Amino acid sequence: MNGWQSWAAVVVFIAAYGLIISERIHRVGAALGGAALMLAIGATDDSSAFFSEHSGIDWNVIFLLMGMMMIVGVLKKTGMFEYLAIWAVKRARARPFRVMAMLVVITALASALLDNVTTVLLVAPVTLLVCERLALPVAPFLIAEVFASNIGGTATLVGDPPNIIIASRAGLTFNDFLVHLAPLSALLVVVLLALCRFLFRASFVYDETRAEEIMALEEKEAIKDRRLLVQGLAVLVLVVAGFVLHPVLHYAPSVVALLGAGLLIAVSSAETGDVLGEVEWPTLAFFAGLFIMIGGLIETGVIGEISRSLAGAIGDNELGGSMLLLGASAVLSGVVDNIPYVATMAPITADLVHSMGGDPAHVMWWALAIGADLGGNATAIGASANVVVLGIAERNRQPISFWQFTKYGLVVTVVTVTLSTGYVWLRYFASA
């Protein structure tokens, strides 16, 4: 590590993290304040913070969020989310757990096909309306959907940003992820449903009067602007196609989202100012601050030292190494965002894989992916989808605190990671 600056960077990060956890000041203020201190002490600089792909702000994440928030903002004006909310409640017969189960499964499937951030941006508005109609607490439903998005995103190459980094470094294909991780993801979604039934049991209060009122509604009447709806859905289909065809088109998801947002504003009657007003600017600012803080830890060698220590502990022990990598990745991804963690750990994992035989689909890559993806559920800032949902909840005056999220996230993470270690052992060692 680079002398006093490394220790200063650690102190700044811990202090900022402590403020985020305690909520003594708003998390955006804590993140931006921490970022400012990282720059002030020289842990990072403007060149690294704003332009480095390795240790700077991940603009792909920022602009993906911005573009999708703009598209969602236009779709809100059409009444589409009200339509979907009524449709979902009627299909579930207004039973709260059935509603949650439906939303969890939809979120997990969509996260595998799109990515988890885009999915929660689309599902969260429906959830808010569903809970309002049924007089249910919003937090349990949104938290369950975050868990589902991170678990579902584990299944495919495009489902979670860390998977894209791993695939690029290891030379893995979309089908490799499906074969190796989709079975585990499907199992964990079933486990998640059982956990939700237990963890959120106090929230499943059936209101017969409200249920009857909703069952009597005609969802088609919720549509306010059919022309804008057709335009919005057409653009959304193009954007989704762009995401799915990324291996062929080679357009980054952020570029696809911005192109879609620009096209929708150009062809529709939506006012640019109104659409920009739907963007969660505090959430984007929080991400920027968080990326700069983590960049300070990377630039001063803190993250690299942790990664090298982990690699040294693993050595050439495949079974012990894969279990250690999976567990350590889950813990570290709960503390720092899993994107910069995987970006730092990927080249070290590549060296480990090379020393163990060099198979592209080596178990160490799957251990890294599983640990980073599932570990993101542990805390409120462990993954991008978590931060986005907390921002949406706060904007709609239904704030979810750090500890309210984390007390459930830790339980879900411990259970899913424990089951995953069994999956890794059974698939790659016991039956090898």
Side-chain angles (χ1 to χ4, degrees):
M1 297 197 298
N2 301 331
W4 71 269
Q5 286 179 323
S6 299
W7 294 108
V10 170
V11 171
V12 168
F13 183 81
I14 291 174
Y17 202 90
L19 289 173
I20 292 169
I21 292 173
S22 67
E23 299 181 329
R24 293 178 68 86
I25 65 174
H26 195 279
R27 64 177 180 275
V28 176
L32 291 179
L37 286 174
M38 287 290 190
L39 290 163
I41 66 174
T44 187
D45 55 26
D46 59 329
S47 178
S48 296
F50 303 127
F51 303 109
S52 172
E53 291 185 12
H54 178 59
S55 61
I57 297 173
D58 192 329
W59 295 111
N60 281 315
V61 172
I62 299 294
F63 286 116
L64 168 64
L65 289 171
M66 181 179 172
M68 292 308 302
M69 286 173 179
M70 293 168 69
I71 292 171
V72 169
V74 174
L75 290 173
K76 275 184 181 178
K77 301 178 185 301
T78 68
M80 184 186 85
F81 295 122
E82 288 89 341
Y83 173 95
L84 292 173
I86 296 169
W87 178 88
V89 171
K90 290 175 73 172
R91 294 300 174 278
R93 308 300 296 175
R95 297 287 179 178
F97 179 67
R98 291 182 188 175
V99 172
M100 178 179 281
M102 178 184 290
L103 292 172
V104 162
V105 172
I106 290 172
T107 301
L109 288 172
S111 294
L113 295 173
L114 304 174
D115 67 84
N116 49 13
V117 173
T118 300
T119 299
V120 295
L121 281 169
L122 293 171
V123 176
V126 177
T127 305
L128 289 163
L129 291 167
V130 165
C131 292
E132 180 183 344
R133 292 279 189 178
L134 293 176
L136 295 170
V138 172
F141 287 79
L142 289 178
I143 292 172
E145 287 162 14
V146 170
F147 297 155
S149 72
N150 288 325
I151 291 172
T154 305
T156 66
L157 187 156
V158 299
D160 209 356
N163 292 6
I164 298 173
I165 297 171
I166 290 170
S168 175
R169 189 78 188 192
L172 298 168
T173 66
F174 190 92
N175 287 339
D176 287 329
F177 277 85
L178 277 181
V179 170
H180 288 270
L181 297 187
L184 173 64
S185 180
L187 170 64
L188 294 182
V189 170
V190 175
V191 172
L192 175 63
L193 289 172
L195 287 172
C196 288
R197 189 72 181 89
F198 170 73
L199 293 173
F200 304 123
R201 59 191 181 280
S203 304
F204 303 133
V205 179
Y206 179 67
D207 188 325
E208 188 173 351
T209 302
R210 282 183 174 268
E212 290 175 354
E213 291 174 356
I214 295 177
M215 296 304 292
L217 293 174
E218 179 55 57
E219 52 263 45
K220 291 181 181 179
E221 295 178 2
I223 301 300
K224 304 168 188 174
D225 189 330
R226 293 184 181 277
R227 181 179 179 185
L228 185 59
L229 176 62
V230 171
Q231 293 170 330
L233 288 177
V235 169
L236 183 61
V237 168
L238 289 174
V239 169
V240 171
F243 291 156
V244 174
L245 294 174
H246 170 72
V248 177
L249 300 176
H250 303 294
Y251 285 122
S254 56
V255 174
V256 174
L258 286 177
L259 286 173
L263 175 62
L264 185 54
I265 292 174
V267 302
S268 72
S269 58
E271 292 290 334
T272 305
D274 293 340
V275 175
L276 290 173
E278 295 293 333
V279 175
E280 304 280 345
W281 297 110
T283 299
L284 301 186
F286 177 78
F287 270 117
L290 189 61
F291 281 131
I292 291 174
M293 283 201 296
I294 296 170
L297 296 180
I298 293 172
E299 287 291 317
T300 55
V302 175
I303 299 293
E305 186 66 29
I306 293 172
S307 300
R308 284 189 293 274
S309 298
L310 180 58
I314 291 172
D316 58 358
N317 183 344
E318 289 193 26
L319 174 57
S322 60
M323 296 302 172
L324 179 59
L325 181 58
L326 195 160
S329 297
V331 172
L332 291 171
S333 292
V335 178
V336 300
D337 188 275
N338 54 15
I339 298 173
Y341 167 73
V342 169
T344 303
M345 198 63 203
I348 295 171
T349 304
D351 291 340
L352 287 171
V353 170
H354 179 73
S355 67
M356 294 177 183
D359 181 6
H362 196 279
V363 62
M364 299 299 287
W365 288 118
W366 307 124
L368 177 62
I370 292 167
D373 292 346
L374 299 182
N377 276 332
T379 69
I381 62 171
S384 302
N386 312 18
V387 178
V388 170
V389 166
L390 263 62
I392 293 172
E394 183 176 23
R395 185 184 180 93
N396 287 273
R397 300 178 181 177
Q398 301 282 351
I400 300 171
S401 72
F402 181 94
W403 286 114
Q404 185 180 7
F405 182 100
T406 303
K407 69 180 180 181
Y408 298 117
L410 289 173
V411 174
V412 170
T413 301
V414 168
V415 173
T416 55
V417 169
T418 300
L419 290 173
S420 297
T421 58
Y423 172 85
V424 169
W425 174 79
L426 185 63
R427 175 157 186 172
Y428 300 102
F429 298 99
S431 60

